[in-house]
């Protein structure tokens, strides 16, 4: 089975951990061209992050550039045909699940069923406090949000959920999602996040796990699902090292995987051997055109070898 591949969009989030210098001056036109390039190159998904506001104490490292994922993915849905649209990750505990369901069901409807809902617990305390949500109890809030979202994103026009935090019925929401079941991938690598992914998700999005840690995490997910009697498809993800297709003539960083298509594919196939189904890739680049060239080269030359 081939290893699927997707990418986190540049420009829409500009943390100093990964943003390239050219992204600071980029905008909607750049996002459109990058999305179209990924769609043409056979990428499985495009992903957008979620932060409502960044406190001053973190602004220097994280920046305050974080596009809204629903608005961004909907904007790109109209310019693409096949690529799926992933929230990586939506901090769903910040919002009432009926509001989240309305937004993402509409996105799925408008895109012809291309949504993958990636969710996570969040880590910026000030965001939670400003919105009146319990930060310390965010794990329990997320757990119930997932149950409520399963109902609210299901086939019923009048979804119903009765829990400790959220209670609703008799409120119709149309349009319904185009998909019979919207895939929910759970992000995070803590023991709680891994357990949540295994028991409540359709997939797992690790956050920063190096290669040598992934096999143990994947084994834990399998063990939890087996004990719980979980059935149905489950997508294991991984975030690959930064990539550059070919021989760079500039300093791309020592952690960056570089080389020809066969060399890169051989390295990336190691993820498949671990039990990973999809990898998220990020290319080093100095401009939009260099990035779209990298996307095209990966799709044409590396991906067929995966």
């Amino acid at each position: 089975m081939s290893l699927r591949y997707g990418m986190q969009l540049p420009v829409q989030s500009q943390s100093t951990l990964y943003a390239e210098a050219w992204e600071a001056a980029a905008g909607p036109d750049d996002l459109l061209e990058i999305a179209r390039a990924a769609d043409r190159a056979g990428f499985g998904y495009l992903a957008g992050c979620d932060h409502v506001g960044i406190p001053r104490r973190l602004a220097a490292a994280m920046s305050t550039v974080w596009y809204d994922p629903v608005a961004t993915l909907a904007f790109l849905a109209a310019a693409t045909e096949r690529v799926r649209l992933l929230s990586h990750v939506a901090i769903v505990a910040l919002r009432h699940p009926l509001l989240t369901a309305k937004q993402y069901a509409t996105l799925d409807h408008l895109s012809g069923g291309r949504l993958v809902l990636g969710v996570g617990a969040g880590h910026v305390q000030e965001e939670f406090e400003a919105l009146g949500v319990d930060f310390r109890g965010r794990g329990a809030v997320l757990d119930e949000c997932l149950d409520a979202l399963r109902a609210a994103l299901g086939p019923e026009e009048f979804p119903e959920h009765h829990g400790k935090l959220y209670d609703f019925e008799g409120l119709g929401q149309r349009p319904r999602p185009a998909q019979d079941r919207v895939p929910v991938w759970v992000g995070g690598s803590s023991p709680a996040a891994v357990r949540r992914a295994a028991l409540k998700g359709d997939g797992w999005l690790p956050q920063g796990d190096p290669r040598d840690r992934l096999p143990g995490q994947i084994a834990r997910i399998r063990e939890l699902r087996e004990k719980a009697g979980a059935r149905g498809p489950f997508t294991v993800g991984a975030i690959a090292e930064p990539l550059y297709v070919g021989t760079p003539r500039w300093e791309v960083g020592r952690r960056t995987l570089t080389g020809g298509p066969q060399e890169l594919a051989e390295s990336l196939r190691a993820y498949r051997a671990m039990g990973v189904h999809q990898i998220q890739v990020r290319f080093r680049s100095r401009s939009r055109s260099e990035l779209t060239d990298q996307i095209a080269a990966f799709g044409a030359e590396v991906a067929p070898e995966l």
Side-chain angles (χ1 to χ4, degrees), residues 78-95:
T80 54
E81 296 178 359
R82 295 171 297 277
V83 68
R84 303 205 77 173
L85 309 162
L86 168 66
S87 57
H88 187 182
V89 287
I91 309 172
V92 294
L94 291 177
R95 306 165 181 89

Side-chain angles (χ1 to χ4, degrees), residues 7-12 27-39 45-49 67-86 107 110-111 114:
M7 67 178 289
Q8 188 88 19
L9 285 159
V11 181
Q12 53 81 40
D29 289 345
D30 301 286
L31 278 171
L32 281 173
E33 287 305 309
I34 292 159
R36 288 169 175 149
D39 199 34
Y45 65 78
L46 298 169
C49 304
Y67 288 34
D68 177 78
V70 178
T72 304
L73 295 174
F75 173 64
L76 299 177
T80 54
E81 296 178 359
R82 295 171 297 277
V83 68
R84 303 205 77 173
L85 309 162
L86 168 66
L107 173 57
L110 291 173
S111 67
R114 289 192 276 146

Side-chain angles (χ1 to χ4, degrees), residues 210-293:
R211 290 194 188 206
D212 60 1
R213 193 179 172 207
L214 281 171
Q217 296 276 58
I218 294 168
R220 177 61 175 156
I221 287 173
R222 289 174 176 164
E223 176 188 7
L224 287 166
R225 287 179 61 79
E226 184 176 340
K227 284 184 178 179
R231 297 289 182 266
F234 189 89
T235 301
V236 173
I239 299 177
E241 300 86 349
L243 301 177
Y244 192 90
V245 183
T247 302
R249 297 179 179 177
W250 55 287
E251 180 53 54
V252 294
R254 63 182 181 83
R255 288 188 62 250
T256 302
L257 299 179
T258 66
Q262 294 285 351
E263 186 179 358
L264 289 177
E266 181 180 0
S267 178
L268 295 174
R269 283 197 298 267
Y271 284 105
R272 188 179 66 190
M274 297 177 197
V276 170
H277 304 111
Q278 67 86 8
I279 53 169
Q280 185 171 120
V281 296
R282 178 179 287 273
F283 302 99
R284 296 301 318 276
S285 61
R286 294 165 294 177
S287 65
R288 184 187 84 187
S289 61
E290 185 169 30
L291 175 56
T292 54
D293 286 348

Side-chain angles (χ1 to χ4, degrees), residues 103-255:
Q103 294 174 313
Y104 282 101
T106 303
L107 173 57
D108 194 60
H109 176 79
L110 291 173
S111 67
R114 289 192 276 146
L115 170 67
V116 179
L117 181 60
V119 304
H123 66 95
V124 179
Q125 184 170 346
E126 289 91 336
E127 280 185 302
F128 284 77
E129 291 172 347
L131 296 172
V133 182
D134 178 17
F135 178 73
R136 294 195 176 190
R138 66 193 185 281
V141 177
L142 175 54
D143 284 339
E144 187 172 332
C145 269
L146 285 170
D147 294 337
L149 284 168
R150 284 291 190 198
L153 289 172
E156 298 299 325
E157 179 182 353
F158 292 87
E160 184 175 341
H161 172 80
H162 303 288
K164 293 180 179 179
L165 300 170
Y166 307 108
D167 191 292
F168 54 83
E169 65 176 309
L171 291 170
Q173 286 192 329
R174 293 180 67 188
R176 304 308 303 150
Q179 299 178 86
D180 292 334
R181 180 183 173 94
V182 172
V184 176
W185 293 355
V186 178
S189 295
S190 69
V194 169
R195 182 178 184 84
R196 185 175 295 118
L199 301 183
K200 290 184 176 290
D202 303 304
W204 176 53
L205 294 164
Q207 193 66 39
D209 285 284
R211 290 194 188 206
D212 60 1
R213 193 179 172 207
L214 281 171
Q217 296 276 58
I218 294 168
R220 177 61 175 156
I221 287 173
R222 289 174 176 164
E223 176 188 7
L224 287 166
R225 287 179 61 79
E226 184 176 340
K227 284 184 178 179
R231 297 289 182 266
F234 189 89
T235 301
V236 173
I239 299 177
E241 300 86 349
L243 301 177
Y244 192 90
V245 183
T247 302
R249 297 179 179 177
W250 55 287
E251 180 53 54
V252 294
R254 63 182 181 83
R255 288 188 62 250

Side-chain angles (χ1 to χ4, degrees), residues 22-70:
W22 65 267
E23 295 178 48
D29 289 345
D30 301 286
L31 278 171
L32 281 173
E33 287 305 309
I34 292 159
R36 288 169 175 149
D39 199 34
R40 289 192 300 268
F43 276 61
Y45 65 78
L46 298 169
C49 304
D50 182 24
H51 276 293
V52 172
I54 306 301
R56 290 185 186 277
R57 70 180 177 88
L58 297 175
M62 291 181 66
S63 90
T64 59
V65 179
W66 295 84
Y67 288 34
D68 177 78
V70 178

